[in-house]
Each structure stands twice: as structure tokens, then as C-alpha cells.
Amino acid sequence: MFVNYPLGHSAGKPFDRADQEYVVESALNGFNSLKKSSQIGMIDSDWGSTGWKNEANSTAGEDTRQPRDTRPQYQFEEDRIAAETI
Amino acid sequence: MHVDYMEVIRKRYENLGYQAYRWFVADDDAPWTPLEKRLHECKLGLLSTSGAYALGQVAYHYKDDSTIREIPSNTQTDDLRFSHITENYLVNPRKDPNCILPTETLHTLVQKKVIKSLANTVFSCMGGTYSQRRVKTEIAPEILKNFKRQDIDCALLVAM
């Protein structure tokens, strides 16, 4: 099932519980509505603004990915401390 | 306007002077397995490729990390973290993890009897793995093994 939202939002809009429930329940309904492998169902939710699509369609600019570092990349320093003390 | 992700990424690689991006092409269609129960009778498993981890767990690294994390499905969202090679897509998930790891949403759908239950543990991996071999021979089999251990009826994959 596909929802046409910006990457990072496959399960709905932030802090929008109604939207999240709709998107996820719609995805689960794919277990019944899809009838063959490789079939893609569309979830009829609309992000609203469209500016993100211009950015997503851009083929120019910098590589925005992080360097391919092999060390754990903690979100916060406290996460590192918590992980290393357990 | 739609986003042609596959073609955009091919051209982006070309413009950056990288080797041609090679999308995975499956040899065969995935085997089709219809759901044998009604959805409201099902125990659901969950996998997110967002690089989610719980406070106290080791974070992912950025070079084809093929490890997975087992996250208790009742983990408070304040204790959920993310590390992924495409950090730029994590701005909102870090504020509200349900954007990409919908545990609270699924608990609500259990209460509403859309599904019977959510597995006690959900899984995450760092989906920015560029080794097709590692995905096929390491990540996918490990996820499958863990799903089978949970005795779930079906699983939801939330891709990032």
C-alpha cells in the first residue's frame, strides 16, 4: 500500500492521530483488498502542501546522506551512555 | 504531480558522478499468501526500516548496518530514538515516532478491534543498506525467523 507523503511519514502525519489511524488502517486493509503479489494499492490521503514534491523530484544538489561511518550513531549522547552502561 | 523516486535517484547518482544506481530486480514474483483469518482475528507483527532503537539499545551505524533491534511494543515514545543514513527524513519521526513506527496507532487499532493484538516486540532495521546481498542473506532471514518465533498471523512493514 502506498501513501503519497514525504519520506519519513509512511505511517501518517506527525501528531495527527486521526490521519495516522486512517493511514495505518488503510494499509492493513490491503491484506483483504490486494489480490496478487506486486499489486500496489493507493491510500487516498493528501499531505496538503506540495512543496516537498519539488524537493523530492530534484536531481541536482548535494548528497544529503550521512558519511558511511561504522560507529553507532546515537541520537543523543545520553543514548550512548545508556547503551554502554547496560 | 507525483515523485518518480526510482528515476530521480538514478539521475541524482548520475549528476553526482557516482556509479549507476542499481535498483533491485527480483528474479520472480513474491509468493502470494492470502490472509487465512479475518483481520480482527489476527495477531500483527511490525517491522520499520527507519533505524528505530529504544533508549538503552545500541544505535545503528551508517555503513550497511545489517542488524535489527527488538523493541517492546509498549515502549514509551519518549524512549524511542532513530539513527539512519538519511537523517534528513527523521526530523518529524524524532518528534513523533508514530510517523514511521506506529506502535501507539496499532495499540489504538487493537482497542478498536481492527486487529486482535500487536506482538509484544516490534522490529526495526536501518533500511539504508546498499548491499543487496546483506539484505537477502542477513536482514530478511533474521526478520523472518523472529516473526515466526512470535507466532503472528501477518506483519506490517513500514518502509522509510
Side-chain angles (χ1 to χ4, degrees):
Chain A
M1 298 296 288
F2 176 74
V3 63
N4 198 13
Y5 282 1
L7 294 178
H9 306 86
S10 306
K13 300 174 183 175
F15 302 108
D16 187 337
R17 296 295 177 243
D19 181 75
Q20 292 171 357
E21 281 182 40
Y22 184 78
V23 169
V24 174
E25 185 171 355
S26 297
L28 293 172
N29 285 335
F31 284 114
N32 294 318
S33 64
L34 301 179
K35 300 301 180 189
K36 62 178 182 179
S37 63
S38 77
Q39 184 180 355
I40 298 174
M42 303 296 290
I43 298 173
D44 61 344
S45 295
D46 180 27
W47 182 260
S49 61
T50 58
W52 67 273
K53 293 181 182 176
N54 294 326
E55 186 177 344
N57 266 319
S58 171
T59 59
E62 300 292 318
D63 187 342
T64 57
R65 294 171 299 180
Q66 300 298 308
R68 304 188 77 194
D69 196 317
T70 56
R71 294 169 294 184
Q73 302 295 315
Y74 290 95
Q75 184 173 331
F76 300 114
E77 183 57 24
E78 69 179 38
D79 301 352
R80 179 191 311 282
I81 295 168
E84 291 178 352
T85 55
I86 288 178
Chain B
M1 177 174 58
H2 73 285
V3 180
D4 189 349
Y5 288 102
M6 295 178 74
E7 186 58 23
V8 164
I9 288 179
R10 279 195 191 97
K11 287 185 177 174
R12 200 175 288 165
Y13 261 56
E14 183 180 323
N15 291 343
L16 288 166
Y18 297 164
Q19 288 184 335
Y21 193 90
R22 291 184 301 136
W23 285 98
F24 175 72
V25 179
D27 298 327
D28 301 299
D29 281 348
W32 178 245
T33 309
L35 196 59
E36 294 179 347
K37 294 180 179 177
R38 296 200 288 185
L39 195 55
H40 71 268
E41 299 171 328
C42 287
K43 177 182 178 183
L44 184 78
L46 174 65
L47 166 66
S48 172
T49 65
S50 58
Y53 64 97
L55 180 62
Q57 295 180 333
V58 176
Y60 301 88
H61 64 71
Y62 291 152
K63 189 173 182 181
D64 292 338
D65 192 331
S66 60
T67 60
I68 65 170
R69 301 291 176 275
E70 300 184 25
I71 301 171
S73 60
N74 62 356
T75 302
Q76 297 296 307
T77 53
D78 287 347
D79 289 337
L80 291 172
R81 305 284 192 269
F82 297 90
S83 57
H84 194 287
I85 191 170
T86 57
E87 293 269 332
N88 48 316
Y89 300 129
L90 290 175
V91 174
N92 281 327
R94 283 177 167 161
K95 298 173 185 170
D96 179 8
N98 286 289
C99 294
I100 200 76
L101 184 73
T103 50
E104 288 185 332
T105 310
L106 288 168
H107 283 305
T108 300
L109 294 179
V110 171
Q111 291 171 359
K112 293 186 174 181
K113 302 188 186 308
V114 174
I115 54 175
K116 182 179 179 182
S117 62
L118 175 64
N120 291 334
T121 301
V122 300
F123 302 108
S124 182
C125 63
M126 200 287 286
T129 303
Y130 293 90
S131 167
Q132 296 179 6
R133 179 188 60 80
R134 297 191 82 166
V135 173
K136 288 178 71 173
T137 65
E138 297 177 23
I139 300 175
E142 185 69 11
I143 294 290
L144 179 61
K145 182 180 74 176
N146 280 285
F147 275 151
K148 285 183 174 177
R149 181 170 49 82
Q150 291 184 317
D151 197 27
I152 56 172
D153 298 297
C154 51
L156 178 66
L157 163 61
V158 182
M160 191 176 90

